[in-house]
Amino acid sequence: LVLHNYLVYFNVDRILYAMRLTDDQLKEISATFQAEMKKGLSSDSNAAAAVKMLPTHVHSTPVGSEKGEFLALDLGGSKFKVLQVKVKEGMGIIRGGVEMEEKTYPIPEELLMGKGAELFDLVSESLKDFMQEKNIDLEKKHPLALTFSFPCEQSRLDQGTLLNWSKNYQVRGFQGKDVVQALRQAVDRAGGMDVEVLALVNDTVATMMTCGFEDSYCEVGLIIGTGTNACYMEAMRNVDLVEGDEGRMCVNTEWGGFGDDGALADFITDFDRDVDAASNNPGKQIFEKMVSGMYLGELVRLVVLKMAKKGLLFDGYVSSALRTKGTITTGQVAAMEEYKNGLTNTKNILTSLDLNPSADDCVAVQHISTIVSFRSSNLVAAGLAAILMRIKENQNLRTLRITVGVDGTVYKTHPQYPKRLHKVVRRLLPECHVRFVLSDSGSSIGAAMVTAVAQRLASQRRKVRILLAFKLSIEQLRLVKATMRAGLEAGLKMKGSSAVKMLPSYVCRTPDGKECGKYLALDLGGTNFRVLLVKFRKGLQPRSRLYHKIYTIPQEIMQGTGEDLFDHIVDCISDFLEYMGIKNVRLPAGFTFSFPCEQTALDTGMLVSWTKGYKATDCEGHNVVSMLREAIKRRNEFDLDIAALINDTVGTMMSCAYEDPQCEIGLIAGTGTNLCYMEEMADNEVQKMCINTEWGGLGDDGSLDHIITSYDVEVDQNSINSGKQRFEKLTSGMYLGEVVRQVLLDLTRGGLLFKGNVTEPLKKPGIFETKFLSQIESDHLALLQVRSILQGLGLDSTSDDSIIVKEVCEVVSRRAAQLCGAGMAAVVDKIRENRGLDHLNITVGVDGALYKLHPHFSGVLRETAKVLAPQCVVTFLPSEEGSGKGAALITAVARKKEEMQLTKT
């Protein structure tokens, strides 16, 4: 018996050997399909691509917070449905989160070949009939979604141009027309209804959305029925046909066209060619004709017919019915493969074709059905594997957990098809954990879900924009510029009692490039203390050499006593001198001290107030150079000639002026922010002096209240210097991350982020460091990486959450850069006017992590300054070696001046 059955199978296998695909062949097909997907996504190759990869403008899958009542139309077969769908927030379909009433309407066959207007008139009249029957208020506006199971090119969610008909539809004069517009016109002709068509959705997309309401991992939709198609959520950065690269968009692959360009030529059989030649669209939808329910029965019939003609079946007898196209259906193929009744069903089906099958004939025909349907599931598995691999690579994952929403009569009714498909997909992609969910509710609910999601996102965006009051108009920026200018002038007149202190630095000239000798530089400005040895070499390259070590300032020292702080500084200096072997040499030194000081000489300065988290006692109001000298005496190991006390901003200007003689402004945009510039002096001996503006205090008098938000107030009140340094708290790295955290906290409490879940990490001040803004706003950072950063902070986010977080970061950092740009415009215009110039060319030396590392801060700052000070050409020169080298240069310039005065004497 086994041998006998083998001989029966052998005859079938010999005819159908090309349909028996190996795993290697499936992998080859999968790789080919993946390449076709890339062609379809690219704007350069899409026109010629067989796999069209159509953008759907569906940006999100359901998250469970969708709600509302919607009308839906489902048009795609010989009948269409009208539905009313009610979506309840926070409940899946299984738990009763969706209620649905529906009615099915037949489409007369003549309309499938008639005019488009006639088809849509039937649809709109049926819609009106449904609304009247269900007592739906005709005068009230109702949102409506249309599931339209034909390929359309969409430029937005509520528009779609029909590319071509399929599934026996041949409606005249409609190809290239806007489907939504046609429906709206038909509704207007019907009259008596107030409906708003909000979404046009492919049945595949609708299937994904239906299943996505139940399973948040569902990011792929698959149809295996009369036709076949697949869709999935693609990263926007890869969708060339749509502007923007933020977030994701569902792409309708229209994979039925795979092979139209010959890509499947090696796998197409003579039976496939015969089916194609006899179809309504020869040469088109090749993949669909190999796998979908519309063609599987016909493929089986052609194989049976050929074997009968060869005398391998029915003793060579061929009935008229067997010769007739369409006499074996895909439903009959499924029946022939049933586990228990398959052979009986096969005999009954063949008998109905006026054949007299033997037992061997029934076994052979059943085997033919198995091979044809098995090939179908294998090909679908290969295509699906390509999609899953692409998602996995997009997300840069080693393993992928994902759900595929599935619909279609072949998948639902064929007894073996689902198991075969699942098994092959998992064999081709063992590193992917794939779950298949059957869409019991079909694609109709999905269309309503697309509309619900679109409404949720639109509502969310409106609420977020209202809350994000950080965007500044050009008029507001001009007002900030004027406020800064007034602050500069007031500071010069009021000698330290104004918000902008305008402290004299007693640095009266910039380097001329001829400096030489060895100088020590000390740099204190944040959580680190740096000691440097700088050697200037006249006439040699490089002109300077720099040696340094960095030491940490522990928080307990920052906020302890002043004596402990300066003793710690001297400990660090001693270690450096020992390290360099120069402990017994009395070098001239410059002290960069990046806190507001009121100077009465180059080497004398009283600390006005601590900033940047420092709170050391018994320092404010004291001469910091004297405190350093006293600490050196207490240690009694070395001596230094401390020639200059400078601010880090002044040091930055001097360091850059050594490279560019036009540099007369210094800017710090980092942990803190400050600016200095060379001010004209009404003194015969001193023509200019560098003024340390301490512009971080702008607004301490309330002059910036018109742009300060509730989030800024919260950050200020929780700071260690409430009411002080208001401009700095709007613009510097120490505070921007905390401003962002306050916004995220507010959005989450309002249910607009993280599903309203306020986590403990989000409540923790300081958790959102400013460096995360730079990372999140990077142009090259995918949203998946943004999610990774947020997850590292204990914030479990969706793709939509990531987009909002990125927008919050962008508006906060952009405002900071614009404010700095407005302040810069005030300074350069003041210099230009001081000098009586129509135009000013000037260079700004810049330092600070915010300026150097943030991807957009520097560009926005430069552009804002350019717009607000159009008569000034401002060049920004980043400081390569920071303010430490500047301290050494000031010391060198000061010593050079002393030598010149001694020479004159």
Side-chain angles (χ1 to χ4, degrees), residues 222-241:
L222 174 65
I223 298 289
I224 317 166
T226 305
T228 184
N229 197 11
C231 69
Y232 71 103
M233 296 301 293
E234 174 64 79
M236 274 288 289
R237 67 182 184 276
N238 298 326
V239 186
D240 283 0
L241 299 177

Side-chain angles (χ1 to χ4, degrees), residues 588-635:
F591 186 15
T592 302
F593 188 74
S594 306
F595 304 92
C597 285
E598 190 170 318
Q599 288 187 250
T600 54
L602 185 60
D603 64 350
T604 306
M606 308 295 177
L607 175 63
V608 176
S609 61
W610 284 117
T611 57
K612 306 174 190 176
Y614 276 75
K615 292 278 282 184
T617 59
D618 300 320
C619 293
E620 292 180 356
H622 294 268
N623 183 356
V624 294
V625 175
S626 296
M627 295 181 75
L628 178 60
R629 285 171 176 158
E630 289 166 7
I632 292 172
K633 284 181 183 178
R634 282 195 297 274
R635 190 172 183 88

Side-chain angles (χ1 to χ4, degrees), residues 484 488 500 502-503 647-650 664-669 673-678 690-696 727 820 823-828 831 844-845 876:
M484 179 64 79
L488 298 174
V500 183
M502 301 297 283
L503 304 173
N647 182 276
D648 57 342
T649 321
V650 181
E664 296 188 68
I665 301 175
L667 171 66
I668 298 292
T673 184
N674 196 13
L675 179 140
C676 69
Y677 71 101
M678 296 301 289
C690 181
I691 299 296
N692 167 24
T693 67
E694 290 296 338
W695 75 355
F727 187 73
C820 286
M824 179 64 68
V827 171
V828 295
I831 294 172
V844 180
F876 290 82

